[in-house]
Amino acid sequence: DSMEVAFENLDIERFYAENPDCPLNCYRLLLSRITNGTTSPPSFDQVCWFHITRTTPGNAFERGILPLGQVIDDIWGFLYALVDDALSTEEWSAFRRNLGDGHYADLYRMKSGGRHLWRPYALLVRDIAFQPEEAGNHDYLDVPEIVEDICICFSERYEMDLLEAYRETTEPCIVKFVDSETTDEHLLTALYYLYTVHRGNPLSMACNTCFDGRGSPIPKERILQIEFP
């Protein structure tokens, strides 16, 4: 079809080397080749996103996908259950109040301190979850960022591997949901991802864009699928 023909006939890097003054970016250049000249994507009314995480087996997300501020107490409670035979509740509470002055403690305070960083977060392209380094992403299937921050601070203070205990009691999880906020970027990025895969090129940051909930939850009714790959 026209898409595969365009993918076969267009080497984007070579094109820009030969046409350095082309006003189109790589996304709209690709679209123009598929549509024989059109550089504006057709309208669409929904986008599917993939929330990448690691959670308890069988988690049905009954409350939807919640921003950090609404789950932070649950996270701390879950982690304490992994070490409650080694620390008293008073010791754990003291640790939570003061994670220390290191890099990961600073990251924790930054992420938890403002609603604008509570997300929840999701990827447009599911494959990015399995190749995070190529796309410059954190490996969310291995451990959520905030959990990693807490666990590293804990291990630095108590010399106990809380992170490994977390991995042993949780599973990688991908939650697919739908959102009605759309932009040209979503479709153009998806096309570039398909182009990259078709030509056998390595994935990169250009193959993906991200959803940011900006501190608002994703309701359960917008969740389409929960999988534990």
Side-chain angles (χ1 to χ4, degrees):
D1 60 18
S2 61
M3 185 177 295
E4 290 189 346
V5 170
F7 291 166
E8 290 290 343
N9 293 337
L10 177 62
D11 182 326
I12 289 178
E13 291 187 2
R14 180 177 178 181
F15 175 87
Y16 282 117
E18 297 175 349
N19 302 273
D21 296 326
C22 177
L24 299 177
N25 63 28
C26 62
Y27 304 104
R28 295 190 186 273
L29 171 66
L30 182 57
L31 180 63
S32 71
R33 292 299 182 90
I34 294 172
T35 60
N36 293 318
T38 301
T39 58
S40 294
S43 61
F44 53 103
D45 56 12
Q46 288 187 323
V47 180
C48 288
W49 296 96
F50 298 91
H51 175 67
I52 314 300
T53 189
R54 190 178 184 98
T55 186
T56 52
N59 186 348
F61 290 83
E62 292 293 344
R63 297 185 292 165
I65 306 172
L66 301 179
L68 178 60
Q70 294 184 32
V71 295
I72 192 65
D73 289 338
D74 294 341
I75 291 171
W76 277 97
F78 181 82
L79 292 176
Y80 179 56
L82 302 177
V83 295
D84 61 359
D85 57 342
L87 268 74
S88 68
T89 56
E90 290 79 11
E91 290 172 316
W92 182 255
S93 296
F95 167 65
R96 179 175 179 176
R97 288 194 301 270
N98 180 17
L99 271 65
D101 300 320
H103 173 67
Y104 288 94
D106 289 342
L107 287 178
Y108 174 86
R109 285 187 284 268
M110 178 188 70
K111 295 167 190 172
S112 61
R115 181 179 178 132
H116 65 290
L117 293 176
W118 286 356
R119 297 172 168 171
Y121 176 83
L123 305 176
L124 180 65
V125 174
R126 180 181 178 277
D127 279 0
I128 297 293
F130 301 96
Q131 301 182 55
E133 291 184 3
E134 288 84 345
N137 251 35
H138 178 83
D139 187 354
Y140 294 97
L141 292 177
D142 180 59
V143 58
E145 287 183 53
I146 201 74
V147 172
E148 181 178 57
D149 297 337
I150 295 170
C151 289
I152 291 177
C153 290
F154 184 83
S155 67
E156 290 174 347
R157 182 172 304 181
Y158 294 101
E159 297 185 356
M160 297 168 58
D161 197 344
L162 181 55
L163 186 54
E164 185 58 30
Y166 176 82
R167 291 191 181 108
E168 290 176 355
T169 54
T170 56
E171 294 182 352
C173 181
I174 300 177
V175 186
K176 180 181 179 181
F177 66 93
V178 67
D179 186 66
S180 59
E181 185 175 324
T182 66
T183 69
D184 287 358
E185 177 190 17
H186 300 146
L187 183 55
L188 292 171
T189 302
L191 284 176
Y192 189 79
Y193 160 74
L194 294 174
Y195 164 84
T196 298
V197 172
H198 182 85
R199 295 186 66 91
N201 298 336
L203 297 183
S204 67
M205 294 179 68
C207 296
N208 181 60
T209 189
C210 299
F211 173 91
D212 185 346
R214 298 184 289 273
S216 297
I218 308 300
K220 179 177 173 57
E221 55 268 23
R222 283 169 48 193
I223 294 177
L224 304 179
Q225 182 183 32
I226 300 170
E227 60 173 316
F228 293 85

